[in-house]
Amino acid sequence: MIERLKIIIRGAVQGVGFRPFVYRLATEMNLKGYVLNSSRGVFIEVEGSSETLKKFLLRLEKEKPPISIIQSLEFQILDVIGYKEFEIRKSEKEEEITTLILPDIATCKDCLRELFDPDDRRYLYPFINCTNCGPRFTIIEMLPYDRPLTSMKNFKMCPDCEREYHNPEDRRFHAQPIACPECGPHIELWNENGHKISEKENCYPLVCELINNGKIIAIKGLGGFHLIVNAADDNAVKELRKRKHREEKPFALMFPDIETVKKICEVNELEERLLLSPESPIVLLRKKSSYELKISEYVAPDNPYLGIMLPYTPLHHIIMRFLGKPIIATSGNLSEEPICIEENEALNRLNGIADYFLVHNRPILRHCDDSIARIIHNREFIIRRARGYAPLPYLIDDELGDNLIAVGGHLKNTIALKKGNQVFISQHIGDLSTLESFNAFKRTLGDFQNLYETNEAKFVGDLHPDYISTKYLKDQSKDYKLIQHHLSHIAACKLENGVKGEALGVSWDGTGYGFDGSIWGSEFFLIDDENFEHIGQFRKFYLPSGEKAIKEPKRTLAGILYEIYGSDILNSAILRSKFNETELKLIVNQIDKKINSPECVSAGRLFDAVSSLIGITDYSNFEGQAAMKLEFSIEKGVDEHYEFEFLKNEIIKINWEKIITGIIKDIEYGIQKSKIATKFHNTLTEIIVEFAKYTNQKKILLSGGCFQNVYLLERTIERLKQESFQVYWHQRIPTNDGGISFGQIAAYNLKNRKLLN
């Protein structure tokens, strides 16, 4: 299959023979397209087969000119244009050049070599960096990016650093965070009371000894604190879960090197490239069926995947070199709070969690979590866009007019700012359910307005009246627009993939506020470049006890069975095994009298109900857990699905009743849970395929949190392609609510077709 690969490269890639290199490589591989220089970087577009494009991408980095440096490489797969040849295009001249703030970049090979060279003056110095690596976004106060406007301004350069900084031939020429042991920041090890017990290089062996002894260490890194424990120590991992109030949600791991990762997980070429990239995100990898290296079962309970990253700062490299084993490296916070960035703040907020604190005196000016990504169909699939990616802009056709500020949603919040034809997406902020998160949201909003000088902008937010982001928006501005949640998802997918003309958008997630005030989450929209129309969703069911049903999927199951059987659910053997008689009567009474039992059409809640129905779980300790467990129970090689029907009224209602009754019959027949789970997933895919056929739309957009489910996403892509549809899904923009702010900007000028008629 012929595809188009679009690449944007930033770094030392101009004036070093990069364009001729790309030309030779592309023509050798018989690829068509172009390469050009821009003030924003080097742009490449090539067309060819999927396998050839993958090889081109890998060779591009491995064979690049020796003196070139790639600080950031973002790529997308897009629709074919039909290039006839490969050419070097003239450099772009732009009327307005917006100065870019680069993300924080992983330690480069040159600095790494010096770091472990005993003869180098920066030997084991945890703040080694150069023009090609190190902190950027987390240390800059304002533009332009000069040392006096960064958190390094209080560290006066020594004569040696001064010479390097002013020497155009030196790798550290104008490297704003330049430092060495004589003039730069240093580390200290504190106990839980903030008393210093060691400093500088003396900290390393002591920290490693503490980790080996099962202690929890809070380590100040680039964008905030990590909580570190030995990944092989069951007791230490369980203690971290207890103290952090994180019962089962998976922890991220840091491995010393790629070879150790391969001992535990299956790693393909693109996954390896992603792990070793300057962005250095957490990459979700499938565990091998058996391995010798010990990883505690409590790291990611009942999960076939591990979230793994490699060391990306000098400090991490040093600790991992001393330790030589995997560690948990999870965000330094309590659940649902933003990551700590300042040592005294960490002493306070992480009190009772961390036993010791490894801190430093280089201020972090803004928090930035680790990014999370995986590979889907040979494409990067960003799940959390933060360190390494934020705040790089997404380039659009400037057809949206005004400068815009989007405040995002409530969960996985990000904000976005549109200036000209660039959309700057913030780092991950998180769930706006605590005062700390709300304060981080406000800081980030003000931060972006100041950095990009856009105090004159129109605001856009989510339609949900109870979202904290929406309430804040209304308090701050009278010039705003509210966008329906699922329309934002679909508009984000359309804009990201450069899709023109009409398409069918499918947005499935857990919760979103509908135009009718009910809980949506299974939405089908027709969307073009100017208008949209809501045309379908699932049949309604109930959520007894509202928010409580999200944490107790058995309640959602009761709401679904009530919609089928009414008060007869009092005699349901399935429900009587989950509730006592009094509880069941209370649920029926709640729904009958419409007491805290909102109507819902959410695909995410349907996942929850099925997870409970087939006996996988009745409780969720974190968002999406029941659906994840359902996905992980899938049996390969099952192609069957359950019956369903479309009810064609004002909009199409997908009737799920035969799905549920079919599952109940399979349970009665003794069919294995794994087969039932697979048939359910297959059914959801077939619903999308049949809906696409019914609407006769060739372009299909997939967005929303449910499409983080790898099986659902990949099977839906494959089935739609089998039926000759063009299918689009997210790559650089998260499919979950982390992409809502981008989608709010994308949907800003769209009009409701029904209101126009």
Side-chain angles (χ1 to χ4, degrees), residues 170-241:
D170 196 281
R171 201 175 83 250
R172 294 187 169 89
F173 177 60
H174 276 247
Q176 307 306 335
I178 188 173
C180 75
E182 294 300 317
C183 64
H186 69 275
I187 59 171
E188 295 180 353
L189 182 62
W190 295 356
N191 66 14
E192 60 185 341
N193 297 316
H195 297 140
K196 183 174 71 173
I197 57 176
S198 184
E199 65 177 350
K200 300 184 178 178
E201 64 271 12
N202 295 324
C203 295
Y204 304 139
L206 185 51
V207 165
C208 293
E209 180 184 349
L210 291 169
I211 292 172
N212 283 327
N213 289 336
K215 299 300 182 182
I216 300 171
I217 316 295
I219 295 182
K220 185 180 179 183
L222 264 183
F225 277 79
H226 278 133
L227 289 167
I228 304 290
V229 298
N230 182 355
D233 188 332
D234 288 345
N235 291 330
V237 178
K238 285 193 289 185
E239 186 63 24
L240 178 59
R241 287 201 173 280

Side-chain angles (χ1 to χ4, degrees), residues 6 153-154 191 243 247 278 290 311 318 347 352 415 466 475 487 521 554-555 628 632 661 677 689 717 745 751:
K6 178 180 180 179
K153 63 186 177 184
N154 295 324
N191 66 14
R243 295 185 191 180
E247 296 177 11
S290 63
I318 294 167
L347 275 177
I415 63 109
D466 295 330
D475 289 340
L487 177 61
K554 63 180 184 177
R555 290 182 174 274
M628 285 172 61
F632 299 155
T661 55
V689 171
I717 292 168
I745 286 174
K751 295 178 175 58

Side-chain angles (χ1 to χ4, degrees), residues 35 75 259 309-310 346 353 418 432 437 552 572 600 671:
V35 58
F75 74 89
E259 289 74 23
M309 60 183 152
L310 295 176
I353 301 179
K418 177 199 166 289
L432 303 183
S437 300
E552 297 184 16
S572 165
C600 174
I671 304 297

Side-chain angles (χ1 to χ4, degrees), residues 598-635:
E599 292 183 357
C600 174
V601 296
S602 161
R605 299 289 81 83
L606 188 64
F607 270 96
D608 291 351
V610 171
S611 190
S612 174
L613 176 59
I614 66 178
I616 289 177
T617 186
D618 289 331
Y619 299 92
S620 284
N621 290 315
F622 60 87
E623 184 198 1
Q625 185 185 21
M628 285 172 61
K629 287 188 171 184
L630 188 64
E631 177 192 357
F632 299 155
S633 67
I634 279 172
E635 175 184 329

Side-chain angles (χ1 to χ4, degrees), residues 1 176 379 461 490 561 635 638 655 675 695 698 745:
M1 179 180 177
Q176 307 306 335
R379 305 183 190 183
I490 291 165
L561 294 181
E635 175 184 329
V638 175
N655 187 4
K675 184 172 183 179
T695 57
K698 286 301 175 186
I745 286 174

